[in-house]
Each structure stands twice: as C-alpha cells, then as structure tokens.
Amino acid sequence: MKAMPLKQAEARLYSVAQRRRGAEITLLTWKQDRSVALEYRDGMLILREHGYCDEELVFETAHDLKHSLKAACAREFPRSNRVHVSERVP
C-alpha cells in the first residue's frame, strides 16, 4: 500500500477506469476506516464507497464515472490531503 496526494490518487483511479483491464484500485484514508474502490467486472465499472456512505454505483463508461468519482472522494475524504492506494492487477 502506497501513500500519495489525493489529487494524484484521483487521477490514477480515473486512468485505471479508462484502461478497462480488470484491475481493481482502492483509496483509503490514513486511518483506513473510509474507502473508495473501483473495479472493472463484466464490462461495467463499479464504484464502491465505504465509510460515510455505503453504496455501489455501476457505470458503462469512464466518462460517466468522472463526476461521481469526484463527489465520492469529496464525501469520503473531506479533510484528507494524502490517501493510501491499493492496486490489484490480474
């Protein structure tokens, strides 16, 4: 698990969404009690939030995901400027 600035982690998450290769990436707060995860499964992008809001959203394209991704990060990481990034590549 690697710590990096939030803006850089958001950009990395979005780039993984554009590649659509089946990788899974998770952003966690410093205390690791809140997270935003992105997974590519069965041709769909799945965005999961855990912490303040527990929900799962499904998108067809990365372009549709972008606004919801920014909103989810703002909701789950309101005061964080660094997050842990966990990436799993099949």
Side-chain angles (χ1 to χ4, degrees), residues 34-49:
R34 294 181 180 205
S35 66
V36 173
L38 179 72
E39 180 183 356
Y40 179 73
R41 188 177 4 146
D42 300 329
M44 303 300 271
L45 292 163
I46 301 166
L47 180 68
R48 279 193 213 103
E49 287 183 63

Side-chain angles (χ1 to χ4, degrees), residues 5-19 25 27 69-70:
L6 179 61
K7 295 293 182 185
Q8 183 180 356
E10 284 179 7
R12 187 174 194 160
L13 197 108
Y14 186 67
S15 70
V16 166
Q18 288 178 322
R19 284 186 264 146
I25 186 166
L27 307 181
L69 172 64
K70 284 201 167 284

Side-chain angles (χ1 to χ4, degrees), residues 2-78:
K2 182 178 176 184
M4 67 175 52
L6 179 61
K7 295 293 182 185
Q8 183 180 356
E10 284 179 7
R12 187 174 194 160
L13 197 108
Y14 186 67
S15 70
V16 166
Q18 288 178 322
R19 284 186 264 146
R20 295 182 153 231
R21 289 214 180 98
E24 182 178 338
I25 186 166
T26 305
L27 307 181
L28 297 150
T29 59
W30 192 256
K31 292 187 333 183
Q32 299 181 5
D33 59 344
R34 294 181 180 205
S35 66
V36 173
L38 179 72
E39 180 183 356
Y40 179 73
R41 188 177 4 146
D42 300 329
M44 303 300 271
L45 292 163
I46 301 166
L47 180 68
R48 279 193 213 103
E49 287 183 63
H50 175 70
Y52 181 72
C53 246
D54 290 331
E55 64 181 4
E56 187 173 294
L57 302 170
V58 180
F59 300 94
E60 292 183 10
T61 64
H63 181 70
D64 298 338
L65 167 82
K66 191 166 190 168
H67 181 69
S68 295
L69 172 64
K70 284 201 167 284
C73 286
R75 197 169 29 248
E76 296 298 334
F77 313 122

